[in-house]
Amino acid sequence: VLCWFYIFPVYRLPRDKEIVEEVLRQGEIWQKNQTGIDLYRKLLTDCCDPQRMFAVTKENSPMGKVLWYDGEFYHSHTVNNETYPLFVQDNPLQLPLKKCAVVGNGGILRHSKCGRHIDQADFVMRCNLPPLSKEYVEDVGTRTHLVTANPSIIEKRFQNLLWSRKAFVDSMKVYGSSYIYMPAFSMKPGTDPSLRAYYALADTSSNLTMLFANPEFLRTVGKFWKARSVHAKRLSTGLFLVSLALGLCEEVTAYGFWPFSVGLDEQPVSHHYYDNILPYKWFHAMPEEFVQLWHLHKSGTLRMRVGHCP
Ligand code: CDP
């Protein structure tokens, strides 16, 4: 029995209340640590090469290249005449990015007044086409440089773009001229809606540029965090973006990451800043992810904003 204990020490995730206490203990104290920033950039570059690999490009995915889906076994897409022309030539971002804000969708953002802060960043990343309507602007800001879109949103919210292309293109206008980052080659059913989204934007000369997430990058980032105690079927979108930001940006601040049901004032917090629809259990491991992000915050590698912004 002792032997088992040494091989598999019991790892217990802290309870919500313990997390709240820990965050309150730390308070507003935060100090940037350049060594930590450089170390994580190097670790992520070595494992996952975000600069070259985060998107599918003509450079990393030439004709005939086999893209293995990262979200399921034994599915692949061979780059062909139909898909190759849709890829950007190379990483289109002006690197290094300076101050980056990664905005998760946590309910902790509601009444945070972080909008101004977020908008001051040089590069703002958001998850899953979040609402940016007037009522939220004070809390989440208005600017976006990269926004992820899950193919399932295209299916559900825009009826797979079979007859609602205008509604889709119109609702994309709030993201200005940002990049829209879609995991087109992660799950088989996601490819078709992602290509439709590409054509809907291209056909209407939209200001948005489509980038398809590179499944190889998503897989290597998943492994990176698995080796650091994040055990989930799939990483959350937010952690993919934080990883990307740590690889590409000089400074990273994360907002809206709080997968707990109580806030720092011990009042209930909704799951999202715009609704309280909970995720499918066991798919992501957001509390485990939060613990890792909090370590990075404490070490000065990135800054987490979990309370109100000054
Ligand atoms: O699609 P997914 O469930 O990953 O994300 P979402 O609900 O649209 O939220 C975007 C991201 O914000 C998540 O991927 C998480 O990383 C983060 N999040 C959080 O930390 N706490 C919450 N209560 C909600 C979201």
Side-chain angles (χ1 to χ4, degrees), residues 104-106 127-128 236-239 256-259 271-272 274 284 286:
N105 288 335
C127 304
N128 294 326
S236 76
T237 311
L239 190 57
F257 287 77
W258 186 259
H271 183 59
H272 292 137
Y274 47 86
H284 297 318
M286 286 190 201

Side-chain angles (χ1 to χ4, degrees), residues 41-58:
R41 185 170 315 121
K42 175 154 174 25
L43 289 173
L44 282 157
T45 304
D46 291 349
C47 78
C48 320
D49 196 2
Q51 290 205 8
R52 204 176 75 82
M53 293 301 290
F54 89 100
V56 177
T57 64
K58 290 193 166 89

Side-chain angles (χ1 to χ4, degrees), residues 27-46:
E28 285 298 302
I29 301 165
W30 184 81
Q31 183 143 28
K32 178 174 160 178
N33 167 7
Q34 194 59 47
T35 315
I37 295 174
D38 294 343
L39 172 69
Y40 260 80
R41 185 170 315 121
K42 175 154 174 25
L43 289 173
L44 282 157
T45 304
D46 291 349

Side-chain angles (χ1 to χ4, degrees), residues 8 35 57 74 90 99-100 120 134-136 157 193 200 225 234 248 259-260 281 297 299 301 304 310:
F8 298 115
T35 315
T57 64
Y74 309 125
D90 206 352
K99 288 189 180 182
C100 294
Q120 276 166 8
K134 249 195 185 148
E135 56 188 306
Y136 305 121
R157 214 192 292 167
W225 287 108
R234 194 173 171 76
L248 303 183
F260 310 108
K281 247 197 166 148
H297 172 85
S299 71
T301 306
M304 299 278 281

Side-chain angles (χ1 to χ4, degrees), residues 230-236 282-290:
V230 178
H231 303 103
K233 190 158 158 35
R234 194 173 171 76
L235 294 187
S236 76
W282 312 126
F283 192 62
H284 297 318
M286 286 190 201
E288 280 180 22
E289 294 183 359
F290 181 87

Side-chain angles (χ1 to χ4, degrees), residues 91-98 123 179 248:
N91 180 347
L93 307 177
Q94 292 278 330
L95 297 175
L97 302 171
K98 293 198 161 56
F123 197 86
Y179 294 101
L248 303 183

